[in-house]
Amino acid sequence: MSCRRDDAAICFLGASQIFSDTVLRTVEAEISPAHSLRIGDIESFRRELGADGHFEGVGALCTLVADEAHAEALLELAEERAPLLDRVKLIIAFEDDRFGETLMDRFGARILARQISLLPMNLNLTTWLLSLRMIVSGGHYIPPALLRCRPAEPPGAERRGSMDPDEVAARSGLTPREAEVLGMLASGQPNKIIAGQLSLSEHTVKLHIHRIIGKLGVSNRTEAAIWYHRRGGA
């Protein structure tokens, strides 16, 4: 679900120190036509979200962004599979990279299975907005460094983490940098985000993808992503 309706709402669940009024105003200005609101805790969120999935006077919930303190509450909401959340994009925002690593270690399988995005708050504003816009528009974002973390699996489940770039390179004949690009491509990230995360130009990213497609013997980036996932990528 993407925020395309005039009454669509992005709800930030957490403290004003993290989701400031400036953040909310910037999101409203840059991710039109969505409206933004901040709710301090999960109990208030449950009270204020109407039975029809709307916030009174704001609009229909299309994206829910929780801070670190509410990460597990968001996971619990996702596990409930409430009809109102079926088409809502779920995001956990975090400031400390170590928190993101711990989150993937403990809940990686659930995060990936429920298509919950992880959004660092320590990105520069342009990259942060690009990442949020991609998620709101229907994408799924996990920082590349966290994709290398081995996700915790539920008991009895087969373990499938993302492949280390060196492993990808060994299997495919790609360079380590091409392997990094492939991993990010396979997670659904656009060229702009890949370029920002790897400190490359978009032109260089396009060249890497062209070489990846040639070396893997596939026809396009979608087939390259399929190649990656079939060989154990997250």
Side-chain angles (χ1 to χ4, degrees), residues 106-125:
R106 293 182 61 197
F107 305 113
R110 291 163 65 184
I111 288 168
L112 295 172
R114 300 283 177 255
Q115 292 285 291
I116 297 171
S117 294
L118 302 183
L119 183 61
M121 297 296 289
N122 56 7
L123 301 174
N124 68 66
L125 181 60

Side-chain angles (χ1 to χ4, degrees), residues 82-99:
L84 292 179
L85 296 178
D86 279 349
R87 296 176 61 82
V88 173
K89 302 299 295 182
L90 302 177
I91 304 170
I92 297 173
F94 61 94
E95 295 185 297
D96 186 343
D97 291 340
R98 289 172 298 179
F99 178 86

Side-chain angles (χ1 to χ4, degrees), residues 177-213:
R177 177 61 90 188
E178 288 167 352
E180 276 189 300
V181 171
L182 175 60
M184 295 179 70
L185 177 157
S187 71
Q189 297 174 51
N191 292 353
K192 231 176 226 187
I193 299 297
I194 296 173
Q197 290 291 326
L198 298 181
S199 299
L200 302 172
S201 69
E202 284 191 62
H203 176 70
T204 300
V205 170
K206 288 177 183 177
L207 287 176
H208 280 310
I209 293 173
H210 177 74
R211 293 187 188 115
I212 289 166
I213 289 171

Side-chain angles (χ1 to χ4, degrees), residues 8-48:
I10 299 176
C11 177
F12 291 89
L13 178 62
S16 60
Q17 291 91 336
I18 297 175
F19 304 132
S20 65
D21 291 341
T22 300
V23 168
L24 269 63
R25 287 196 298 269
T26 301
V27 168
E28 285 203 349
E30 298 293 332
I31 306 182
S32 177
H35 302 289
S36 297
L37 72 155
R38 181 180 60 245
I39 296 178
D41 57 75
I42 190 67
E43 291 77 17
S44 298
F45 169 80
R46 289 180 183 275
R47 285 197 305 269
E48 294 185 31

Side-chain angles (χ1 to χ4, degrees), residues 1 9-11 45 49 53-55 59-64 84-85 88:
M1 176 181 177
I10 299 176
C11 177
F45 169 80
L49 183 65
H54 284 65
F55 291 106
L61 176 67
C62 77
T63 305
L64 177 60
L84 292 179
L85 296 178
V88 173

